[in-house]
Amino acid sequence: MEGLLAGAADGTDAWDAALGRLPAVRAGYRALEAELWAPGRLDARLAELCRLRVASLVGDGAGLDERTPAAVAAGLTEQDVAELARWPTSGRFGAAERAALEFSELFVIDAHQVTDAMCAALRSALGDAGAVALTTAVAVFDATSRAR
């Protein structure tokens, strides 16, 4: 499946090609992505784990093959990636990662099933601003992965 639109002749992926039809929207979307990956906004390793989990859930092979450089610099390893599907029981992930992955997974599968307790765990692990940033990031990851 090619996604929303076929990639552009210059090799741009389908999502970027689709956004290219609306240059101001693409610029805003890219600015939002950059802000979410800005140092101090979210732990880059944690955000990348969530991005990869979202890509896995929606069948985004291209997204699964990518690694965000900031996440690699923050310590993301291929062993982390290999264990990601087993996050609930894997010893590689701590409480903050589990809270973020649980939230991310359910947000993608059925957002109406995200509970107040899950949100409280996420806020406890990341703080209020971090929980808002992660929620926004997961929505962006979901949109990008589904549109490819």
Side-chain angles (χ1 to χ4, degrees):
M1 183 171 143
E2 290 186 6
L4 189 59
L5 293 176
D10 65 1
T12 304
D13 72 22
W15 182 229
D16 202 55
L19 289 174
R21 308 260 178 183
L22 300 166
V25 172
R26 179 163 75 180
Y29 195 83
R30 295 298 178 227
L32 174 60
E33 286 180 319
E35 180 62 29
L36 292 169
W37 287 104
R41 182 71 57 216
L42 283 171
D43 175 78
R45 180 178 172 274
L46 176 81
E48 184 75 344
L49 290 169
C50 294
R51 188 193 67 75
L52 290 167
R53 188 63 186 138
V54 169
S56 175
L57 291 169
V58 301
D60 176 14
L64 286 170
D65 290 341
E66 295 173 355
R67 300 293 178 268
T68 303
V72 174
L76 179 79
T77 67
E78 288 306 309
Q79 292 82 13
D80 294 333
V81 177
E83 285 291 310
L84 194 50
R86 294 180 289 282
W87 68 263
T89 58
S90 173
R92 294 191 77 81
F93 307 112
E97 295 156 330
R98 289 181 202 288
L101 288 164
E102 178 182 38
F103 174 86
S104 299
E105 198 168 276
L106 201 51
F107 184 95
V108 169
I109 294 169
D110 185 356
H112 295 289
Q113 296 302 312
V114 173
T115 67
D116 289 344
M118 288 176 179
C119 292
L122 191 63
R123 287 192 344 265
S124 176
L126 304 181
D128 289 343
V132 170
L134 183 73
T135 301
T136 306
V138 170
V140 169
F141 301 155
D142 189 31
T144 301
S145 284
R146 288 181 191 271
R148 289 188 209 222

